[in-house]
């Protein structure tokens, strides 16, 4: 008997081919009890595997084993799925968090370790409520590395009050460079740029102490210089406002104690703790951007779902394709929580929106209190 021959649902006996139906489906008859049935092999799991291989790869639709129209027809079902995170409750020593913008009004917030993605959340902006929704999906880590932001700062105090925060030193350096430029004209700016460039290379307590002393010396040396101002329309205007802004941002980090948290963790727990967000910037965000670049032309919603698929396939709880089809939420199941506007947005001049698709209806997506779903 062929390996794909079905068994009888009534008695479990062997079945034999018994012609076909008017639609062309194979008919089977039980050799024991005579029961008749039709049997079709479900190829959805194999088709999902092909779809995901295309989504994660560089091949075009025309390079698929079937026609472009057939592939798009099959893929329509899979675009209706929502690959959502499944909280495991596992607590991690270090989590890296960041957001990748799908459009001007849509961002995917992501939390990951060096090995896999832990959680992701679809939001309208990097506000505190959005960060809190992401954090609620994950057990509080010992330390979290972030590129900063007032929304994150407020959320982490509320949701992960015991987690230690490390500000990514690469982003701190970039923040200073935006104010000084890479070629400062003033000695004050050159010295500050030199200090900023040293930050990512600071790896131990001695180097951190030297940096702090040098920075304090810079602040003292240029204090009077940075107080210079002129009067414009009767109002005081500082001459070196950009350098003052860079100093203010560094002072805030020193005051918060988030610049060298990784060194404190090394002292308390031993081992090596991270001081940058390179794990998520290079290992997650850049890969998602490359995927979206390879598949230019997707609608905003599909771009968001593509990012969700990437996160899910690189998480620790990835299921088989057959299990994905059984357990994943569909558009119909989340209807009312996530609705896509039917009309395309237009700019003030009447031209179509740059992204070519409507934004989500956020009032329906975000719920609070006892009605919160936690799906996104």
């Amino acid at each position: 008997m062929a390996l794909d021959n079905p068994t009888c649902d009534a008695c479990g006996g062997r079945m034999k081919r018994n012609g076909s139906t008017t639609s062309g489906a194979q008919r089977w008859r039980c050799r024991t009890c005579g029961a008749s049935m039709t049997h079709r092999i479900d190829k959805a799991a194999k088709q999902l595997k092909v779809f995901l291989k295309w989504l994660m790869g560089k091949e075009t639709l025309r390079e698929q084993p079937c026609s472009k129209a057939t592939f798009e027809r099959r893929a329509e079902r899979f675009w209706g799925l929502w690959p959502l995170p499944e909280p495991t409750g596992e607590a991690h020593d270090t989590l890296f968090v960041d957001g990748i913008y799908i459009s001007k009004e849509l961002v995917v917030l992501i939390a990951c370790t060096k090995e896999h993605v832990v959680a992701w959340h679809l939001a309208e902006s990097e506000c505190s409520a959005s960060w809190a929704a992401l954090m609620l999906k994950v057990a509080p880590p010992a330390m979290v590395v972030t590129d900063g932001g007032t929304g994150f700062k407020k959320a982490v105090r509320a949701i992960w009050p015991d987690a230690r925060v490390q500000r990514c030193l690469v982003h701190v350096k970039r923040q200073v460079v935006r104010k000084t430029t890479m070629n400062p004209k003033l000695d004050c700016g050159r010295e500050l740029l030199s200090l900023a460039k040293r930050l990512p290379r600071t790896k131990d307590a001695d180097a951190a102490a030297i940096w702090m002393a040098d920075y304090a010396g810079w602040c003292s040396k240029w204090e009077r210089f940075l107080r210079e101002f002129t009067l414009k329309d009767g109002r005081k205007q500082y001459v070196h406002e950009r350098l003052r802004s860079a100093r203010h941002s560094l002072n805030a980090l020193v005051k918060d104690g988030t610049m060298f948290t990784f060194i404190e963790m090394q002292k308390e727990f031993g081992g090596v703790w991270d001081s940058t967000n390179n794990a998520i910037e290079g290992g997650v965000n850049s890969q998602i951007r490359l995927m979206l670049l390879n598949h230019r032309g997707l609608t905003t919603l599909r771009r968001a779902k593509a990012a969700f698929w990437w996160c899910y396939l690189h998480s620790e709880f990835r299921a088989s394709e057959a299990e994905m089809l059984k357990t994943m939420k569909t558009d119909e199941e989340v209807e009312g929580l996530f609705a896509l506007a039917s009309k395309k947005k237009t700019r003030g001049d009447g031209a179509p929106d740059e992204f070519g698709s409507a934004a989500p209806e956020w009032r329906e997506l975000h719920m609070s209190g006892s009605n919160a779903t936690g799906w996104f």
Side-chain angles (χ1 to χ4, degrees), residues 18-74:
N18 187 36
S20 59
T21 65
T22 56
S23 64
Q26 179 66 54
R27 183 186 291 115
W28 301 84
R29 181 173 295 278
C30 179
R31 295 174 182 269
T32 304
C33 67
S36 179
M37 63 173 286
T38 57
H39 173 61
R40 289 182 181 273
I41 298 175
D42 188 0
K43 299 181 179 180
K46 291 183 179 179
Q47 293 170 358
L48 175 58
K49 189 173 184 178
V50 172
F51 168 77
L52 294 178
K53 181 181 178 182
W54 164 80
L55 187 60
M56 298 296 120
K58 298 180 180 180
E59 293 182 349
T60 66
L61 293 179
R62 300 190 183 278
E63 294 175 313
Q64 299 308 303
C66 58
S67 68
K68 180 175 179 290
T70 298
F71 184 88
E72 289 178 336
R73 174 173 51 80
R74 293 173 178 173

Side-chain angles (χ1 to χ4, degrees), residues 136-334:
L136 287 170
K137 296 175 170 61
V138 188
M143 186 181 80
V144 57
V145 185
T146 175
D147 60 3
T150 55
F152 176 84
K153 184 177 179 181
K154 181 179 178 180
V156 77
R157 285 200 303 263
I159 309 300
W160 292 345
D162 297 326
R164 310 281 282 276
V165 178
Q166 169 64 50
R167 181 68 180 273
C168 174
L169 295 185
V170 171
H171 283 84
V172 175
K173 185 194 79 171
R174 292 174 184 170
Q175 188 173 1
V176 173
V177 169
R178 282 196 294 268
K179 301 298 182 179
T180 64
T181 75
M182 289 298 293
N183 187 27
K185 304 301 181 184
L186 302 174
D187 291 340
C188 178
R190 293 192 192 99
E191 292 181 15
L192 182 59
L193 177 62
S194 178
L195 282 170
K197 287 181 176 180
R198 285 167 47 190
L199 270 175
R201 301 194 297 270
T202 304
K203 301 298 183 183
D204 54 46
D206 292 338
I210 293 173
W211 190 92
M212 290 292 290
D214 291 346
Y215 176 66
W218 178 87
C219 291
S220 176
K221 176 181 179 180
W222 299 103
E223 171 65 27
R224 180 173 295 181
F225 177 77
L226 293 177
R227 285 207 305 263
E228 293 179 358
F229 66 91
T230 61
L231 293 177
K232 185 176 181 180
D233 299 329
R235 301 178 61 181
K236 185 192 320 186
Q237 187 175 55
Y238 288 105
V239 177
H240 311 292
E241 184 59 44
R242 293 177 65 85
L243 291 175
R244 288 176 60 88
S245 176
R247 182 184 64 174
H248 176 76
S249 64
L250 290 174
N251 286 346
L253 293 176
V254 171
K255 182 179 179 181
D256 289 345
T258 58
M259 187 176 293
F260 298 119
T261 303
F262 73 103
I263 293 177
E264 298 173 6
M265 301 299 283
Q266 290 174 5
K267 290 180 178 179
E268 294 180 28
F269 304 103
V272 178
W273 296 75
D274 291 272
S275 62
T276 70
N277 240 355
N278 292 345
I280 192 170
E281 287 283 355
V284 179
N285 290 356
S286 63
Q287 301 303 314
I288 293 177
R289 291 189 184 98
L290 179 60
M291 175 189 63
L292 297 178
L293 180 64
N294 290 334
H295 301 297
R296 295 182 294 274
L298 295 176
T299 64
T300 301
L301 182 57
R302 288 190 174 182
R303 286 167 61 87
K305 284 189 176 182
F308 270 43
W309 272 117
W310 195 98
C311 291
Y312 180 84
L313 295 178
H314 292 81
S315 66
E316 60 181 330
F317 40 75
R318 172 179 174 171
S320 66
E321 284 76 11
E323 192 66 22
M324 294 178 196
L325 293 170
K326 292 179 183 178
T327 59
M328 283 187 176
K329 302 292 182 183
T330 64
D331 287 337
E332 290 73 18
E333 290 178 287
V334 300

Side-chain angles (χ1 to χ4, degrees), residues 93-114:
D93 289 337
T94 303
L95 283 181
F96 306 89
V97 298
D98 198 8
I100 178 170
Y101 276 85
I102 303 301
S103 70
K104 289 182 178 179
E105 299 177 343
L106 208 61
V107 60
V108 177
L109 306 180
I110 301 172
C112 74
T113 65
K114 286 186 173 181

